[in-house]
Amino acid sequence: MRHLRRLAGVATMVLALAAGGAPAPAAAAGPAVPAPTLILSTENTPEHVQTRVLRLFAERLTARLDGRLRVEVHDRAELFNDRDVTEAVAAGRVDMAAPGLWHLDRYEPNFAIFLLPMFYGRDDAANHALRDGPVGQAIARRLEAAMDVHVLGRWIDLGPAHVFTRNRQIASAADFDGLRIRVAGGEGNALRIRALGAESRIIPWPDLPRALADGAVDGALTTAATVVSASLWSVGIDGAYLDRQYFPQYVPIVSRRLWTRLPSDVRGAMTAEWEALVLEARTMAAADQAAALKILAANRVTVVEPPAEALAATREALLAGQDAMVGALGLDPDLVAAVAAALE
């Protein structure tokens, strides 16, 4: 029933927007009809950068359309977890979301390209250059073909993901041996962690504090800001190895069944407002990560930042197993080769 009501709401939204908000004849005047509502979903808290960016988008799009459309953000997984939200958007059960790219290789395997060893230790600029250009666009088009969604524009940042540990300090790549590391998802992440000599365990975010406190895992692959958001030093996190394992971003998707029915000026407004927000969103994410590192240090978390030469050496060692990962993940070898050439 909820799904049917949502589809009926989509139809009402499209009809109202297509009407352009034209006033009814005076003789037919009656109670004001509420503006249709575009629903966005996220699993994150209001303080999280992804949620804050989605709220800015909602506010600015609402203002731009001047009352023709209301835009609402539902956070804290009130509607869907980000792992499940892509299917919900494709089915029209929610209008828009921005799932992490590590959730998207289930639908378009080539998102896992960005989890391969060749990206280990790479800076933000190297990641942006590829994802903002033809490579990112090609993978986005493949997602659109695989799922009934429209990718609204460029991807927004969470920030570099590192390994954070409990009672086990990492000073070099050799110290990964035997560790049990939690990953959020993405088989490429699991394979890379294993290649470093550690055991990977996929554990949902809400269950991680207990897993750390109970000693079920020795650490987690995540970002500094994410560690701070849950005060994970309170359950034993006391080490940070800033090795830029991969670069998490969020991909904005819209229900295609809605997108194709929206008036062209509304589609244009959504695209323009998102693009206008991308660089601001990335700045917000970078500021959050920088502030988080200071908070970690203040809470006695030992932060190790390996030199660029050490990261390059680890990347080179991991690359020996990359071809096997490409096969295991079902990636397009030609696309992988093109990305590798661009990184040289």
Side-chain angles (χ1 to χ4, degrees):
M1 288 298 296
R2 183 180 181 186
H3 177 47
L4 292 176
R5 286 196 298 271
R6 182 71 202 132
L7 291 180
V10 167
T12 301
M13 177 193 299
V14 171
L15 288 172
L17 288 170
V33 178
T37 303
L38 184 79
I39 301 296
L40 282 66
S41 172
T42 175
E43 70 180 7
N44 287 310
T45 62
E47 299 79 17
H48 192 282
V49 68
Q50 181 216 38
T51 309
R52 285 155 45 213
V53 170
L54 290 177
R55 290 197 184 282
L56 281 175
F57 173 73
E59 293 166 6
R60 294 174 186 180
L61 182 60
T62 297
R64 182 176 183 134
L65 291 174
D66 193 25
R68 290 176 63 196
L69 179 69
R70 293 177 59 247
V71 189
E72 292 182 358
V73 177
H74 292 253
D75 55 29
R76 298 179 185 271
E78 177 186 341
L79 299 179
F80 297 97
N81 292 319
D82 278 5
R83 176 176 172 80
D84 303 318
V85 80
T86 300
E87 292 179 18
V89 172
R93 294 195 295 272
V94 68
D95 300 316
M96 179 175 171
L101 64 84
W102 58 95
H103 291 309
L104 295 174
D105 58 358
R106 300 163 61 197
Y107 313 109
E108 169 41 48
N110 290 293
F111 273 100
I113 284 175
F114 303 115
L115 310 182
L116 289 173
M118 61 183 170
F119 280 98
Y120 177 90
R122 301 283 186 182
D123 62 16
D124 299 9
N127 282 280
H128 288 150
L130 281 162
R131 300 177 192 196
D132 287 352
V135 170
Q137 292 165 15
I139 293 175
R141 299 295 84 78
R142 293 185 187 206
L143 178 66
E144 291 177 333
M147 303 294 288
D148 207 12
V149 300
H150 169 73
V151 177
L152 188 58
R154 291 191 289 166
W155 313 344
I156 57 172
D157 298 353
L158 173 56
H162 316 292
V163 174
F164 298 83
T165 51
R166 177 183 184 273
N167 296 333
R168 294 284 297 272
Q169 297 292 332
I170 298 177
S172 73
D175 296 329
F176 279 96
D177 193 44
L179 294 180
R180 298 161 299 167
I181 303 297
R182 176 263 183 185
V183 300
E187 183 59 21
N189 280 329
L191 291 175
R192 191 187 58 256
I193 288 292
R194 291 173 204 157
L196 285 164
E199 177 185 342
S200 64
R201 296 188 179 180
I202 295 179
I203 298 174
W205 174 251
D207 299 332
L208 177 58
R210 176 56 66 95
L212 286 165
D214 291 348
V217 291
D218 302 303
L221 171 62
T222 187
T223 76
T226 307
V227 172
V228 168
S229 74
S231 303
L232 289 184
W233 52 83
S234 66
V235 288
I237 288 293
D238 57 8
Y241 186 64
L242 306 186
D243 60 349
R244 294 179 164 268
Q245 289 264 339
Y246 80 112
F247 191 72
Q249 284 187 301
Y250 297 104
V251 181
I253 57 173
V254 181
S255 167
R256 181 166 289 279
R257 67 181 65 196
L258 171 63
W259 182 258
T260 57
R261 291 168 172 78
L262 290 174
S264 60
D265 67 318
V266 176
R267 295 197 302 266
M270 292 176 67
T271 302
E273 287 299 332
W274 184 265
E275 176 58 28
L277 187 54
V278 168
L279 294 183
E280 181 181 353
R282 291 177 179 179
T283 299
M284 290 166 58
D288 281 5
Q289 297 297 343
L293 288 174
K294 294 180 180 179
I295 294 171
L296 291 175
N299 284 277
R300 300 184 178 181
V301 175
T302 300
V303 177
V304 175
E305 186 167 6
E309 306 81 54
L311 294 178
T314 302
R315 182 168 61 246
E316 190 66 27
L318 290 172
L319 282 170
Q322 180 164 288
D323 287 347
M325 292 184 192
V326 169
L329 295 168
L331 306 184
D332 180 341
D334 292 336
L335 189 55
V336 172
V339 172
L343 286 170
E344 289 179 356

